[in-house]
Each structure stands twice: as structure tokens, then as C-alpha cells.
Amino acid sequence: MIDPVLASRLQFALTTIVHIVFPVMSMGLAPFLIYFTWREIRGGDAVYEQLRRFWTKIFAISFVVGTVTGIVLEFEFGTNFAAFSTAAGELFGGPLAVEGMMAFMLEATFLGIFVFGRERVSDRLYMISSVAVGLGTWLSAVWILIANSWMQTPRGYEVATENGQTVIHLVDPIAAYLNPRFGFMFVHMQNAAVESVALFMAGVAAYYVYRHHVWGYPVEHVAFWQKTLKIALVALLLTAPLQVLHGDLYARHVYETQPQKFAAMEAVWDTEAYVPEYIFAIPTDLSQLTDPRAKELFGFGIPGGASWLASGGNPNAEIRGLNSFDSEAPPVAIVFWSFRAMVGLGFWFILLAFWGGYRWYTGELFEDGLLHKSLMASSLLGILAVELGWVVTEVGRQPWVIQGVLETSEGVSPGLTGTEAMITLTGFAAVYTAILAVYTYVIVRLIRSGPPDEADLDSVPDRRPESDAAPAGVSDDD
């Protein structure tokens, strides 16, 4: 049977790859929903209520499915990585517990008001509920990323041996929780979530705009989809360039704190200078696909680009090669090609954003069929880029589960057999595939149904609190 270490890693990777889709959708939608709610309460345009009601449904479904799939991940620490949980539980368990008690409870409490309470509470309380739900969503990311970033750059701890077992004690919570990696991960992840949702919104809206303006088919609520496309493009113009610029700083930080991971990202085996940065690379044979080496690839590269990226401006800077490290190298092919694809997608998103912005400026946003097709084809690529980024982050850290402290093989449950690990891996693969399929089906149904009609919006009763309403027997016109 399969090695229990490999099976456990595959199982955690599978469940994480599926789970991350739902937090990306909920975190990315949160700022949009706060904006829609604010514009709706200000009044003057019914389309913002349509936007709020339509995208709230997708947010709520993503939140529920994300909760279900996320809880399982925490159980896997005990079932598959019990040794890791025993060693790092004192430090790792705190952020996960606070995430549940603080962020999740805040989000879950106000979500009921936000989803079902529009006609039952005042505008002020409803606005507060939208902010609280968005804040709770992003606070969840804070505590999850604190835990993960500590695994990348551990600080504020000491290692002890108790009863023959390695145990990590928390000695400085501030240093541990505000470790050097946290800020980079939080900004990059949250911006990526908003960018991914902006791409998704733009792709869906472009489909209906294309059908109406290019094909000439009658489309209901075309003004709704036009407004969605414009709002998504504004978000994309802000987030796409920021993601690439921040990614440059992030990569430099990785070089400074995890040089082995950076060497895998650039496929540098021997310590050398003037290393090219391949924006686009093609393997010329199978060996280059499975064992890439920076200076042997065919592609479009910036001479000295990787050295410049690592050093912050010196194209002749030396990059330490993988062969110079004592520990086993991570799976270089997975890390290298995932990083190339992620970076390539990042530049494609910038092109899409400025392409759409230019067409908007020239008044041809709704007539450019090629732009619409490109947005439709890119609607899920933001989520793919997030997945690739996490592959680089987690696979690139191998063989360590806690960088420089505990190897992944040492963190797996000692009593776990290959047969047991294979059974659970197969079961999780089937269940999570089914969950993702059902989620996709429901989201597609919601999109096809479209936003609520304006007639339905007009039938909503007066939402003002009683103190603001007109006295009995007196009309508003009086």
C-alpha cells in the first residue's frame, strides 16, 4: 500500500484544494456586499439592491460549504498528523481556537441578520450586520494565516523534550503571531480573494453582456449585468497590479527567510549569479518537465531577473542552489511550474484589467466581443492562481512541516498504517469531489436564475424603524 506519510499529505492537499475555493468566494465577496449594502441604503438606484440580494445568496452558500469542509481539516491534524499536533499544539491550537470563538461566531451571528433580516431591522443595524459579516470573514483569515505563517517562519518558541517527545512551547506570543511572514501572506491572500471574485463576477457578467450586445439575444436584467461588469472591472484595476507588485516584495521575503524554497521556485540547483527569471518556459523534453533547471530551459526569460528579484535590484546577485542545503530538496518540478503558471496568470489579469478599462474609457465596453470571451474564459482563473500559490507555499516548504524545526515525516501519526491512510484518502476524494460538484451545480442554477425582478423589490415593505415611520393616520405626503 501507499506510504502513510505520502497518503496523509495527499489527503490534506486534496481537502485543502477543495476547501480554499469557498473561503476565497466568501472573503472576496465581503467588500462587494458591504459596498452594495451601503449604496442600497443611500437609495436612488434599485440595481444595488439587486446586486446585494443576488450575490448574498452565493456568499451564504460559500460560507456554509466552507464551514463544513474547513472543520474536517482541523480533525485531520489529529487523525493524520497527531505527532505534529502533540509537538506544536500549544502554539498552533491557540489561533485555530480563537478563529472559531471570535471570527466564526461574529460572522455566523450577523449572517442571519444579513441574509434574512433586511425587512425586519433598521437600515443602520442592517449596515452594521454587513460590516460584521465581512469583518468576521476576514478575521478568520487572520488567525488561519497566523498559524500557517508561523509554520513558514517560526518565532517566539522554544523546543523541549518531555517524556522522550519533542514539544514546542510558546514563549513570546507577539513574536509568534506577528511573525515576519504573516503580513505578506495576509495582504497577498486577501487581495487575491478580491481579485478572484472580481474575475468571477466579470466573467459571468460578460457572458450576459455578450449575448445581449454582440449576439443580439434578448437578456433580462441587462442593466444589472452591465453594472456588475463595471464594478468588477474597477476592482480588477485595483487588485491586479497590486497583486503583482506585492508578489515581488513577497518573493524577496521568501528568498531572505526560506532560501531553499526560493531556489525551488527558480529551479536553481547550483549556487550561481545572474540567474534568469523565466516568465514563460517550455520543457523541450520530458526530463526538463520533471527535473527543470534554470539555465537549461527554452523560454522567455529576463536575464538576471531571478537574481534581481532576490536581491531587490542587483541582477548579478548570487542565489544559493538546492545542492548546498543539507535537507532534502522539495519537489522542484511542482514548485517551479506552479510558480511560473501563477506569475503568468498574474500578468494576464493585469492585461485584462487595462484592456477592459480602456474599452470602458472609449465607450466600447459592451461591444468588444473578444474582451467578453477573454473575461468568460478567465472567470475561474483567479481561483486557479490562488490554488497554485498555495501549492508553491506548502510544497516549497517540504520536507519541513515547521520550517527548520519539524519534518513532515516526523509529524505524521505514528500508528497510522498505509492501508488506513489509503482508505481515508479514497473516501475524502469521493466526498469532496461530490461536495464541489453539488456546489458548482447550485451556483450555476443561481446564476441562470439571475437577479430578482424590480417588481419584487418594489413589493418590499417599509424598512424604517417605527420611530422613523409616519404616525398612524398621517401619510408621508402630509
Side-chain angles (χ1 to χ4, degrees):
M1 299 298 291
I2 192 171
D3 176 28
V5 175
L6 177 59
S8 296
R9 289 174 59 184
L10 289 174
Q11 179 178 307
F12 202 88
L14 169 70
T15 50
T16 303
I17 285 171
V18 175
H19 166 72
I20 196 65
V21 173
F22 315 118
V24 166
M25 290 297 292
S26 58
M27 292 187 303
L29 277 170
F32 290 100
L33 293 178
I34 293 173
Y35 174 71
F36 296 155
T37 304
W38 175 65
R39 289 300 303 267
E40 175 192 345
I41 290 173
R42 285 185 61 192
D45 194 342
V47 72
Y48 288 103
E49 182 171 352
Q50 289 179 301
L51 285 163
R52 192 262 308 166
R53 292 176 63 176
F54 176 80
W55 291 105
T56 294
K57 294 177 183 178
I58 295 178
F59 175 90
I61 293 169
S62 301
F63 169 78
V64 171
V65 181
T67 301
V68 172
T69 55
I71 289 174
V72 174
L73 294 175
E74 297 191 14
F75 281 104
E76 286 183 89
F77 288 124
T79 58
N80 292 75
F81 295 93
F84 163 75
S85 301
T86 301
E90 180 177 319
L91 198 144
F92 199 77
L96 298 184
V98 174
E99 187 267 338
M101 293 186 293
M102 177 195 291
F104 176 78
M105 292 306 298
L106 175 66
E107 185 179 7
T109 299
F110 282 93
L111 184 63
I113 298 175
F114 186 65
V115 175
F116 302 111
R118 185 66 185 101
E119 295 81 29
R120 297 175 174 84
V121 300
S122 67
D123 288 346
R124 181 180 299 175
L125 179 56
Y126 194 74
M127 187 70 225
I128 291 173
S129 72
S130 70
V131 174
V133 168
L135 179 62
T137 304
W138 280 45
L139 278 176
S140 289
V142 167
W143 293 105
I144 296 299
L145 293 177
I146 281 176
N148 187 275
S149 62
W150 181 83
M151 295 166 65
Q152 311 287 336
T153 54
R155 299 290 189 276
Y157 72 97
E158 65 178 13
V159 179
T161 301
E162 298 179 0
N163 299 322
Q165 194 164 25
T166 299
V167 177
I168 299 170
H169 290 300
L170 175 64
V171 296
D172 187 347
I174 301 300
Y177 295 163
L178 299 181
N179 62 79
R181 181 61 53 83
F182 168 68
F184 289 96
M185 293 190 76
F186 181 76
V187 172
H188 210 63
M189 181 63 205
Q190 300 312 100
N191 190 73
V194 177
E195 182 182 22
S196 298
V197 168
L199 284 163
F200 180 73
M201 294 172 68
V204 173
Y207 169 74
Y208 287 102
V209 170
Y210 180 79
R211 288 189 61 183
H212 182 80
H213 288 279
V214 181
W215 282 0
Y217 290 172
V219 173
E220 287 187 289
H221 314 295
V222 68
F224 170 89
W225 296 114
Q226 290 172 345
K227 178 68 75 172
T228 300
L229 179 56
K230 288 182 175 180
I231 292 173
L233 276 178
V234 170
L236 198 58
L237 281 165
L238 294 173
T239 56
L242 175 60
Q243 193 70 359
V244 171
L245 292 173
H246 183 264
D248 173 72
L249 299 175
Y250 193 173
R252 193 168 306 143
H253 170 73
V254 169
Y255 172 73
E256 294 169 353
T257 56
Q258 293 177 297
Q260 188 176 26
K261 178 189 289 188
F262 188 87
M265 289 161 54
E266 302 296 345
V268 178
W269 289 89
D270 298 314
T271 301
E272 52 188 327
Y274 201 65
V275 179
E277 176 65 41
Y278 282 98
I279 303 299
F280 179 74
I282 300 176
T284 56
D285 56 50
L286 183 61
S287 66
Q288 290 186 352
L289 179 64
T290 58
D291 184 23
R293 294 174 184 268
K295 293 193 173 181
E296 299 177 7
L297 292 167
F298 172 78
F300 173 71
I302 302 173
S307 296
W308 182 90
L309 180 65
S311 64
N314 180 11
N316 294 307
E318 186 176 81
I319 294 180
R320 186 178 174 187
L322 290 163
N323 291 331
S324 68
F325 294 93
D326 294 331
S327 60
E328 176 188 355
V332 176
I334 296 175
V335 178
F336 176 81
W337 293 113
S338 296
F339 184 66
R340 301 274 87 67
M342 180 188 67
V343 171
L345 287 173
F347 282 104
W348 168 243
F349 300 154
I350 291 178
L351 175 62
L352 272 181
F354 284 98
W355 182 5
Y358 174 74
R359 287 303 191 185
W360 188 356
Y361 174 76
T362 59
E364 300 172 307
L365 177 60
F366 303 140
E367 286 74 35
D368 190 340
L370 182 59
L371 171 63
H372 301 157
K373 292 178 181 178
S374 300
L375 289 170
M376 284 186 272
S378 304
S379 58
L380 298 178
L381 293 185
I383 295 176
L384 174 61
V386 172
E387 301 278 13
L388 292 169
W390 277 106
V391 168
V392 174
T393 298
E394 296 303 300
V395 178
R397 190 183 65 231
Q398 300 305 314
W400 304 100
V401 64
I402 304 174
Q403 182 70 43
V405 179
L406 185 71
E407 292 193 358
T408 304
S409 58
E410 298 171 332
V412 173
S413 302
L416 185 67
T417 66
T419 301
E420 292 169 338
M422 191 63 194
I423 290 173
T424 58
L425 171 61
T426 304
F428 274 110
V431 172
Y432 270 62
T433 300
I435 290 174
L436 186 59
V438 172
Y439 173 82
T440 303
Y441 171 78
V442 172
I443 297 301
V444 170
R445 285 289 300 270
L446 285 174
I447 291 172
R448 287 180 174 175
S449 299
D453 294 325
E454 289 194 32
D456 296 333
L457 304 182
D458 294 336
S459 65
V460 173
D462 189 354
R463 302 187 184 93
R464 293 174 298 173
E466 292 184 10
S467 60
D468 295 340
V474 179
S475 69
D476 286 337
D477 295 335
D478 295 337

